[in-house]
Amino acid sequence: MMLHLHRYIELPVPLSRARELLAQRLPLGEALRLGQRWRWLDQLWCFEVHVFDDDRIIWRGRCLTREASLVFVALRLHDAVISTHVALHLALDLPGAGPWTRRGLRRRLASVLDQALQALQDELRAVPSCAAPEALPDEPGALAERLRASHPRTVAAFEAMAALPALAAVAALDQRWQATEAGAVAAEVYEPVAALPALDGDFDLVYAGGGLGLLHAALMAQRYGCRVLLFDRGEVGCAHREWNISDQELHALIDVGLCTPAELEAVVMRRYCDGLVRFWPEHSAVRPAALCLPDVLNVSLDAGALLRLARRKLEAAGGVVLDWRTFARVLVERPGRVAVELRRADGALERFGARVVIDAMGATSPLALRRYAGRPFAGVCPTVGTVVAGLEPGPALDQHHPERGDILISVSDTQGGRQLIWEGFAGRDDELTVYLFYYDLLGAPRRTSAALPSPGRRSLLDLFETYFQLLPTYKRPGAAFRHIKPVYGFIPARHGQRRQSVPLLVGVLPLGDASAQQSPLTFCGFGSFVRNLDRTTALLAFALRHQLLRPEQLGWISAYQANVALNWVFSRFMQPWRSPNDVNRLQNIFARVLNDLGSDVAVRFFKDRMTWRDYGRIVNRTLVVYPAIIPTALEVLGVRGCARWAADWLGFSGAALLAAGGRAIGDRRLTMLAAWLERCVPAMALRLRARQAEWLAMGWLPPAAHAARVARGATMQIRQMPSE
């Protein structure tokens, strides 16, 4: 009787350490060494080990108490730089054993093997060497010295970029994120009051946060004549990310009148042909497949230049911009009558009134935490990277090719228990913006599979150290290689088919990462924001014009898309669940499915314009290509998750049916109905306009409807309401 067991595991140590360890330790459970012999499976054995130059290790055992019984343990080691992948094959030969003995022995053998691997993982589990973020100093120089021993590559790179203040900003963001994960809620950031205190100024809109909210604020002031104030904890108009988008989506900034084609062209760094999606094909036992996507994320922008342009537009339209102001709290008298309290750099307080406060403070927004009682997000992509120059040029995948962008690229199986994914898009000259990120769930239990080490805490500082170590495995540095500036952030998402899972705070409208309504798969927050900019500004202008400022009314003003919300299911398969090659194996299958269906479906999928028919074709084709997706989904999602997916699919189908009814009625008739409702029941008109705008953003309305809507919206102005 011959029994075979296979395991594929990750050890969180470099190859040299793993080779040394596995050449000295018999990787079997319940094995007790007795001098030159071993007791294993209640028998006495004699083992010998052979180590080969090609990173193979073979243990061969002969049973001394049961004649002709043999065991072989073959280990093949694969270098993953910060960890080692081990393919293990155990073969046990027990002549004369019957079927019942074989069945029981297989179960026992699998159990002891998994226990042995789990014990090995526990022994090798890396302990974070860096202090908790809250224990780190704030001063950049002192912070660098504190981190030099635990994060030497990170400190050296930030020093070379003259970016130690950015290093301090990363540490501060880590600290805020740790508080977010802990569910910390500062109740004092939002306070209902009987009457507002004396104010230093009064506005229609106050924007908290100077990132993407700057584009929104500029348009509300310029196009709709709103009185706008915007503040940020740093200098307004500075970016700690770089953005890429498609020309079609980018043109929305021209359509809405925010800027001219010449102004926009000045912030475009490069256009290239195709974007590549490719997952590591080795060790997966499936046919490798890649996606070449035309016109997807193929325009790279100078984010800082775009934000500075938006700041100039906002100030030219009469908007007020305040640098170096820290958010303190929101005071609410009633809908349409709120105030924001700010703290200046010198500690003094300022208070400004508003009809609506726009929460654009990102993933760690204290208002989002307050609204969700400390649990604002379901998923997150911790993301780090740099803008680099001097990479080795060439057409190979690990060389810099300025006419090709990398959308989702993996170059290994799991590293540190996480499937790390790379993104790269060319900038000016030989520059390349490189991102490294991974998908994770918040509030999810840590994985217990013996094949995967614990992924540890979510920390941008730790991920930066990994990034600087692994970057050469993604792109080869050339002789003049250098880092130019860091890019980073926690990119969150919420999962589900509900437009608003909890009510909005009175007087507060979240946008961008604070609302986390971008795709939970592609996490393209910039693309989602720009694609929905006309939608959110026009609806907000309508709400201001008609005093529709209660939470249930403002809730219709968002970047929510029914076809995007359903992508939470796909995102779950971007996290390993049993073996180091889980994600790469399944994503190669998924890429094959999209290739089979044609580039049009793939492009719509990655541009958040997936139709109900597209989704059905993707699911059905996956079932044909990979029938094992059903038990895999049950393992990954669980019964409750699968039931939730079924309910969400029904909700998605209902949204598609409603959109089909809207198309049948016709955009012209719907617009006439909305105009009539605006005179009679403005709240109903807001809901109808919101539905139309969502269908347009999803590509579920004909393009002609968009041109007409832009022409109509260009003349709308906000009626100035008394501040009372």
Side-chain angles (χ1 to χ4, degrees), residues 64 143 187 310 447 497 506 545-546 583 718 720:
L64 302 178
L143 175 66
R447 292 178 280 271
Q497 276 291 311
V506 175
R545 217 166 39 245
H546 294 284
V583 174
I718 303 302
Q720 299 297 324

Side-chain angles (χ1 to χ4, degrees), residues 124-466:
L124 297 177
R125 181 175 294 123
V127 178
S129 56
C130 178
E134 60 271 14
L136 295 173
D138 296 328
E139 198 278 322
L143 175 66
E145 290 307 314
R146 182 67 177 275
L147 293 174
R148 198 175 298 278
S150 59
H151 297 70
R153 296 177 180 86
T154 302
V155 172
F158 274 73
E159 286 179 333
M161 291 183 284
L164 288 186
L167 182 65
V170 172
L173 181 54
D174 260 2
Q175 182 178 352
R176 296 194 300 273
W177 184 259
Q178 297 303 327
T180 298
E181 286 203 45
V185 179
E188 66 273 11
V189 301
Y190 181 85
E191 183 179 347
V193 294
L196 295 181
L199 301 174
D200 297 300
D202 212 1
F203 298 86
D204 292 312
L205 301 169
V206 171
Y207 285 77
L212 285 174
L214 190 53
L215 302 177
H216 202 276
L219 191 57
M220 291 304 298
Q222 177 179 288
R223 185 181 186 186
Y224 296 106
C226 288
R227 299 167 297 157
V228 172
L229 179 143
L230 183 144
F231 70 90
D232 195 85
R233 67 165 60 90
E235 182 181 356
V236 174
C238 295
H240 58 82
R241 298 183 200 167
E242 295 292 347
W243 297 319
N244 57 343
I245 195 171
S246 71
D247 259 321
Q248 178 189 11
E249 294 167 313
L250 185 61
H251 206 272
L253 297 179
I254 300 172
D255 290 341
V256 298
L258 180 64
C259 55
T260 66
E263 289 172 330
L264 190 58
E265 195 62 30
V267 304
V268 172
M269 294 192 293
R270 186 179 292 272
R271 290 180 173 85
Y272 44 90
C273 301
D274 293 332
L276 180 66
V277 176
R278 182 180 184 272
F279 286 83
W280 180 247
E282 307 295 333
H283 322 310
S284 294
V286 297
R287 189 174 72 195
L291 290 170
C292 290
L293 302 174
D295 195 32
V296 174
L297 300 176
N298 64 322
V299 180
S300 58
L301 302 178
D302 184 333
L306 178 60
L307 292 182
R308 289 190 294 272
L309 172 64
R311 176 172 180 160
R312 293 195 300 270
K313 295 284 185 179
L314 174 58
E315 291 175 328
V320 177
V321 178
L322 300 178
D323 301 306
W324 311 108
R325 299 308 201 274
T326 303
F327 170 81
R329 60 176 176 162
V330 168
L331 304 173
V332 181
E333 181 180 323
R334 63 177 184 274
R337 180 75 174 153
V338 300
V340 181
E341 192 171 89
L342 315 180
R343 192 176 302 277
R344 294 193 323 219
D346 60 5
L349 291 177
E350 298 172 318
R351 296 183 182 91
F352 298 96
R355 296 168 68 189
V356 179
V357 173
I358 306 298
D359 178 11
M361 290 185 283
T364 58
S365 163
L367 290 173
L369 286 169
R370 172 70 167 74
R371 176 188 171 201
Y372 283 92
R375 301 295 178 190
F377 312 120
V380 65
C381 266
T383 304
V384 301
T386 55
V387 178
V388 302
L391 292 168
E392 183 179 301
L397 293 174
D398 60 351
Q399 293 177 313
H400 177 40
H401 191 320
E403 296 304 316
R404 184 187 66 223
D406 292 337
I407 298 175
L408 296 172
I409 301 289
S410 69
V411 298
S412 173
D413 290 331
T414 57
Q415 292 166 293
R418 296 158 167 156
Q419 181 58 65
L420 300 178
I421 298 173
W422 299 85
E423 178 185 6
F425 50 93
R428 295 188 177 96
D429 301 322
D430 68 338
E431 293 180 4
L432 183 73
T433 297
V434 179
Y435 282 114
L436 175 67
F437 57 95
Y438 63 91
Y439 292 77
D440 213 344
L441 291 177
L442 295 179
R446 291 303 185 190
R447 292 178 280 271
T448 58
S449 169
L452 299 168
S454 170
R457 68 183 183 184
R458 303 173 188 91
S459 163
L460 296 186
L461 285 174
D462 293 348
L463 190 56
F464 258 121
E465 188 68 11
T466 299

Side-chain angles (χ1 to χ4, degrees), residues 34 249 315 392 424 467 501 575:
L34 303 171
E249 294 167 313
E315 291 175 328
E392 183 179 301
Y467 167 82
S501 54
Q575 305 156 66

Side-chain angles (χ1 to χ4, degrees), residues 7-11 13-16 18-19 22 54-57 74-88 280 282-284 412-415 580-581:
R7 297 291 186 269
Y8 183 48
I9 67 171
E10 179 194 348
L11 297 181
V13 291
L15 177 64
S16 58
R19 186 192 301 115
L22 294 174
D54 60 352
D55 294 323
R56 286 183 301 130
I57 300 173
L75 306 164
R76 181 173 286 278
L77 282 56
H78 305 282
D79 188 7
V81 184
I82 62 173
S83 60
T84 304
H85 298 128
V86 181
L88 182 151
W280 180 247
E282 307 295 333
H283 322 310
S284 294
S412 173
D413 290 331
T414 57
Q415 292 166 293
N581 60 350

